[in-house]
Short mmCIF file of all heavy atoms in Angstrom, two decimals:
data_model
loop_
_atom_site.label_atom_id
_atom_site.label_comp_id
_atom_site.label_asym_id
_atom_site.label_seq_id
_atom_site.Cartn_x
_atom_site.Cartn_y
_atom_site.Cartn_z
N GLY Y 21 -198.97 -195.92 95.72
CA GLY Y 21 -197.98 -196.20 96.76
C GLY Y 21 -196.81 -195.23 96.71
O GLY Y 21 -196.35 -194.74 97.74
N ALA Y 27 -195.32 -188.11 99.52
CA ALA Y 27 -195.95 -187.12 100.39
C ALA Y 27 -195.48 -187.27 101.83
O ALA Y 27 -195.25 -186.27 102.53
CB ALA Y 27 -197.47 -187.26 100.32
N PHE Y 54 -168.07 -172.82 92.66
CA PHE Y 54 -168.28 -173.13 94.07
C PHE Y 54 -169.30 -172.13 94.62
O PHE Y 54 -169.88 -171.36 93.87
CB PHE Y 54 -166.96 -173.02 94.86
CG PHE Y 54 -166.52 -171.60 95.11
CD1 PHE Y 54 -166.70 -171.01 96.33
CD2 PHE Y 54 -165.92 -170.86 94.09
CE1 PHE Y 54 -166.31 -169.68 96.56
CE2 PHE Y 54 -165.52 -169.56 94.31
CZ PHE Y 54 -165.71 -168.97 95.54
N ILE Y 89 -168.50 -181.64 83.93
CA ILE Y 89 -167.29 -182.44 84.15
C ILE Y 89 -166.43 -182.58 82.90
O ILE Y 89 -165.20 -182.40 82.98
CB ILE Y 89 -167.67 -183.82 84.73
CG1 ILE Y 89 -168.31 -183.65 86.11
CG2 ILE Y 89 -166.42 -184.71 84.83
CD1 ILE Y 89 -168.81 -184.94 86.72
N PRO Y 91 -165.86 -180.57 80.16
CA PRO Y 91 -164.99 -179.42 79.91
C PRO Y 91 -164.01 -179.17 81.04
O PRO Y 91 -162.89 -178.69 80.81
CB PRO Y 91 -165.98 -178.25 79.76
CG PRO Y 91 -167.26 -178.72 80.35
CD PRO Y 91 -167.28 -180.19 80.16
N LEU Y 142 -162.18 -165.37 101.79
CA LEU Y 142 -162.32 -165.02 100.38
C LEU Y 142 -162.32 -163.51 100.18
O LEU Y 142 -161.67 -162.99 99.28
CB LEU Y 142 -163.62 -165.63 99.83
CG LEU Y 142 -163.68 -167.15 99.74
CD1 LEU Y 142 -165.08 -167.60 99.34
CD2 LEU Y 142 -162.66 -167.67 98.74
N VAL Y 160 -154.47 -179.26 101.87
CA VAL Y 160 -155.65 -178.45 101.57
C VAL Y 160 -156.83 -179.36 101.27
O VAL Y 160 -157.96 -179.11 101.71
CB VAL Y 160 -155.37 -177.51 100.39
CG1 VAL Y 160 -156.66 -176.80 99.96
CG2 VAL Y 160 -154.31 -176.48 100.75
N PRO Y 177 -161.42 -173.10 100.87
CA PRO Y 177 -160.00 -173.41 101.01
C PRO Y 177 -159.34 -173.80 99.69
O PRO Y 177 -158.20 -173.41 99.41
CB PRO Y 177 -159.99 -174.60 101.99
CG PRO Y 177 -161.29 -174.53 102.70
CD PRO Y 177 -162.26 -173.96 101.72
N VAL Y 218 -181.69 -190.76 103.83
CA VAL Y 218 -183.04 -191.14 104.25
C VAL Y 218 -184.01 -190.77 103.12
O VAL Y 218 -183.68 -190.02 102.20
CB VAL Y 218 -183.42 -190.41 105.55
CG1 VAL Y 218 -182.51 -190.86 106.69
CG2 VAL Y 218 -183.34 -188.90 105.38
N ALA Y 220 -186.43 -188.69 102.77
CA ALA Y 220 -186.67 -187.27 102.53
C ALA Y 220 -185.62 -186.65 101.62
O ALA Y 220 -185.90 -185.70 100.90
CB ALA Y 220 -186.72 -186.52 103.85
N VAL Y 221 -184.40 -187.18 101.65
CA VAL Y 221 -183.34 -186.65 100.78
C VAL Y 221 -183.74 -186.78 99.32
O VAL Y 221 -183.63 -185.83 98.53
CB VAL Y 221 -182.01 -187.39 101.04
CG1 VAL Y 221 -180.97 -187.03 99.97
CG2 VAL Y 221 -181.47 -187.06 102.42
N LEU Y 236 -178.02 -173.04 87.93
CA LEU Y 236 -176.70 -173.48 87.45
C LEU Y 236 -176.49 -173.06 85.99
O LEU Y 236 -175.42 -172.57 85.62
CB LEU Y 236 -176.59 -175.00 87.58
CG LEU Y 236 -175.20 -175.63 87.49
CD1 LEU Y 236 -174.39 -175.29 88.73
CD2 LEU Y 236 -175.33 -177.14 87.34
#
Side-chain angles (χ1 to χ4, degrees):
F54 75 102
I89 296 175
L142 293 173
V160 173
V218 296
V221 170
L236 196 71

